[in-house]
Amino acid sequence: MEHLTDRQRARYQALLELADRPFDVERPAVFSPAAAAQDEANVKGLLFRWTPVFIPYEYTNWSEESLAHVRSCYIGDWSAIGKLRVHGTEALTALTRIGMNNLSRFEPGQIKHHVQLDERGHIASEGLLYRVAEEEFVYSGGGVDWTSWQIDQGGWDAKSEVISPDMFIFEIQGPTSLFALEAATGESLRDIGFNRSRMTSISGIPARILRSGISGELGYELHGSADDANAIWTAVVEAGTEHGIRQLGMRSQLVAHIEAGIATVGIDYLPSSIITPGAPKLFPRGMPDGSFIPTDVTEYFRRPGELGWGRRGALTSHDFIGRDALAAEAAEGGPARHLAGLHWNNEDVIALFASQFDDGPLPDPMEMPRKIGASLDQVLVNGNPVGVSTSRTYSTHLRRTISLCVIDRDIAAPGTEVTVLWGNPGTAQRELRATVTSLPMKEDRRRIDVNTL
C-alpha cells in the first residue's frame, strides 16, 4: 500500500530533478498533503504555488480571512516550508557553530529562532529549530539547503536529512487557538509555554504541538506525518468551528506577519545563501520587483541587527559563522539601518486607486490585500534615499495600508515623515506619503499567560 508520504517524496524529488523543464508537461505538481481535506472548503477552486506546494488561494474572502487571527483563529497550511532533521552525537555542536543562537541550555521540546549567517554577517537562512531528543533536532524555515550544506561539510559526527515532503506544518493562530486545539486533542494544553513543544494526539493520531507566535497573537503549530495531514486538518477544523476557526488561504497568509513586524525571508529580503553552493533548491523564480533598484545583489541581503534580531546571539556566548562581521559592526556603533513600520497616507493610497478611473497615465495597481512575493520600494526624504519598504499590505484590522521598512537609524524614530516611490521603473511612478511607526503595529499577545484564559 502506497503511503501519502511516499507519493509526496516521489513528486518532490522529481520536481527537484526537473526544476528547469517546462511546467505543463515535464514537472509534477506537488499538492499539500492536506489537499483532500482542504478541497471541500475551497469552493473557488483556486490554487497558488508556494514553492513547491500548491495550496488554496482563498477560501471565503481576503478581508474575512485576514481578520481571523485577531477575532478568533485560523488554520493555515505552511507545509511548503523546508524541513530538515539533524541528528548525531555532535548535532548540537554543529548547530551551535552555524547559528548565532546560544544553544547551551537547549532542552528537549524547546524552540529557538535559529538565525544562520555567512562570513560577512548576512542572513543565509533562518527558521524554527526544536530539540526532539538529546541528539535529534528539526529545523524548518527558508533555506534548509544551506543548513544541510554547512553541516555536511563541517566534519562533525552529525547528519542532516531533508524531510520537507514527509511532514505537514499547520499554523493555528489567534485568541481562540488554544480552545480549538484543546477541543481537537481532548486535553489541556496550558502546560506548553511560549517557544515550547510536546507531543499530543488528535483523533488518535500523534502530532507535535508547538507554541509559536507568527501572528503576534496567541498561536500554535502542528507538525506531523504527511500521511496524517488530511485527518488532522479535518479534525482541527471540526473541533474549532464553535471557536470561530477560519481556513486561511495564501492570499491573506502573511498579513499578520506585517502587523506583528516580522520580516520574512524571500519576501522582505533575500538570503545570502542564494549565491553559494548551499542555495535553496526550491526558491521562487525571478527577482523582486518594485521601485528599489540595487546596484548589487547584496543590497537585497540583511544583517540580523537590521531586522531586530541582534540580541538573539550574544557576541561573547560562543563562536559562530559571521561573528567577526557582527563584532566589527558593533564596534562601529551597530547597524546603520533599523527595521520599522510605515503607515501609508490614506489620501494618497485612495488617489492611487482612483487613478484607475481617470484618463491620465496608469500607475502600477495595488493588489489587495498585498502582492504575493517580494516587492521592494525606495523610501525617500526630500528626494534622497533613506530606506527600503517591503510587504506593502492592506490591514483590515488597522483599516490602513502598512509595510515594513529598513530605514537609516538617524531617521527611524516614530512620527518621521517619508515618501515611498510607488511603481516599477518605466511606469507612471508616484511618491506616496508615509509615516514611520514602531513595531509591532498592534499589541503583542504572543506570550499571554494561557492559565488566565
Side-chain angles (χ1 to χ4, degrees):
M1 175 181 172
E2 183 188 32
H3 290 283
L4 176 58
T5 300
D6 297 331
R7 189 164 71 247
Q8 289 287 110
R9 177 162 284 280
R11 289 175 175 172
Y12 181 88
Q13 291 301 130
L15 182 62
L16 290 179
E17 296 168 5
L18 303 172
D20 296 326
R21 301 288 184 87
F23 174 77
D24 59 332
V25 294
E26 299 287 351
R27 297 173 62 191
V30 182
F31 296 99
S32 165
Q38 296 165 354
D39 187 56
E40 182 177 353
N42 183 19
V43 294
K44 298 182 180 181
L46 298 176
L47 296 173
F48 185 90
R49 190 183 70 184
W50 177 9
T51 305
V53 176
F54 283 88
I55 64 173
Y57 179 67
E58 185 177 53
Y59 288 94
T60 54
N61 65 77
W62 60 265
S63 184
E64 176 184 281
E65 291 177 30
S66 66
L67 277 173
H69 67 287
V70 290
R71 291 188 174 179
S72 54
C73 69
Y74 67 67
I75 179 171
D77 194 340
W78 264 251
S79 300
I81 288 179
K83 313 167 198 73
L84 189 73
R85 177 175 175 259
V86 183
H87 58 97
T89 60
E90 293 184 303
L92 180 62
T93 302
L95 290 166
T96 299
R97 168 60 182 164
I98 68 174
M100 61 183 286
N101 310 72
N102 182 353
L103 303 180
S104 61
R105 297 182 180 179
F106 198 14
E107 302 172 352
Q110 193 172 2
I111 302 168
K112 295 281 189 178
H113 179 210
H114 204 240
V115 181
Q116 303 162 25
L117 313 178
D118 64 16
E119 292 288 356
R120 293 172 295 180
H122 292 132
I123 299 167
S125 182
E126 60 88 15
L128 182 151
L129 177 72
Y130 59 87
R131 191 169 194 167
V132 178
E134 190 66 23
E135 298 180 358
E136 182 179 357
F137 304 80
V138 171
Y139 173 68
S140 62
V144 298
D145 299 289
W146 162 273
T147 313
S148 180
W149 176 61
Q150 289 286 0
I151 290 173
D152 292 347
Q153 71 173 356
W156 296 288
D157 180 19
K159 296 185 181 299
S160 63
E161 175 189 2
V162 176
I163 55 174
S164 299
D166 306 334
M167 290 178 59
F168 68 78
I169 294 180
F170 300 153
E171 295 283 349
I172 299 88
Q173 299 279 324
T176 65
S177 58
L178 173 65
F179 307 118
L181 285 171
E182 285 186 332
T185 61
E187 64 172 325
S188 172
L189 303 174
R190 314 290 167 115
D191 60 304
I192 305 175
F194 185 71
N195 276 344
R196 296 282 175 167
S197 73
R198 67 168 171 82
M199 294 300 294
T200 186
S201 66
I202 297 176
S203 299
I205 302 168
R208 178 172 291 272
I209 185 167
L210 305 85
R211 184 173 170 188
S212 64
I214 65 165
S215 65
E217 301 285 340
L218 173 64
Y220 299 85
E221 293 186 13
L222 288 173
H223 293 199
S225 169
D227 284 330
D228 303 320
N230 283 304
I232 295 290
W233 183 279
T234 298
V236 173
V237 171
E238 290 178 352
T241 298
E242 64 178 297
H243 303 290
I245 198 168
R246 295 288 183 270
Q247 297 179 72
L248 183 71
M250 189 67 189
R251 186 174 185 180
S252 303
Q253 196 169 63
L254 294 180
V255 171
H257 276 52
I258 311 310
E259 295 172 349
I262 300 172
T264 302
V265 63
I267 302 294
D268 298 293
Y269 66 97
L270 300 186
S272 63
S273 56
I274 61 173
I275 57 174
T276 75
K281 293 183 175 65
L282 295 172
F283 202 70
R285 289 185 173 186
M287 296 297 285
D289 64 11
S291 64
F292 174 70
I293 306 299
T295 57
D296 186 87
V297 69
T298 59
E299 294 183 33
Y300 285 127
F301 302 162
R302 298 289 180 264
R303 289 188 171 183
E306 292 179 299
L307 302 183
W309 299 340
R311 295 181 181 178
R312 297 184 187 275
L315 293 177
T316 58
S317 67
H318 69 290
D319 187 26
F320 57 89
I321 297 172
R323 179 186 176 279
D324 290 346
L326 296 193
E329 180 183 70
E332 295 174 356
R337 303 183 300 182
H338 292 167
L339 184 69
L342 291 182
H343 282 173
W344 294 42
N345 182 275
N346 287 342
E347 292 180 357
D348 289 1
V349 172
I350 292 171
L352 183 74
F353 277 95
S355 68
Q356 302 295 320
F357 301 90
D358 291 338
D359 294 330
L362 281 174
D364 282 343
M366 283 186 173
E367 296 183 36
M368 295 289 276
R370 54 168 292 150
K371 176 185 182 292
I372 300 178
S375 184
L376 290 75
D377 294 307
Q378 188 73 66
V379 177
L380 308 167
V381 170
N382 297 324
N384 299 312
V386 296
V388 180
S389 169
T390 60
S391 289
R392 195 277 328 159
T393 300
Y394 176 74
S395 167
T396 307
H397 173 62
L398 298 175
R399 297 295 179 96
R400 65 186 316 136
T401 298
I402 61 176
S403 68
L404 300 181
C405 178
V406 174
I407 191 169
D408 293 351
R409 65 187 179 193
D410 294 338
I411 57 171
T416 302
E417 299 293 331
V418 300
T419 60
V420 181
L421 182 61
W422 175 259
N424 288 297
T427 66
Q429 292 179 317
R430 292 191 177 196
E431 287 190 27
L432 307 182
R433 291 171 291 174
T435 304
V436 177
T437 186
S438 58
L439 295 174
M441 299 190 210
K442 61 178 180 60
E443 183 182 355
D444 185 348
R445 301 184 181 92
R446 293 174 296 171
R447 292 172 173 81
I448 187 173
D449 181 0
V450 294
N451 291 304
T452 64
L453 299 179

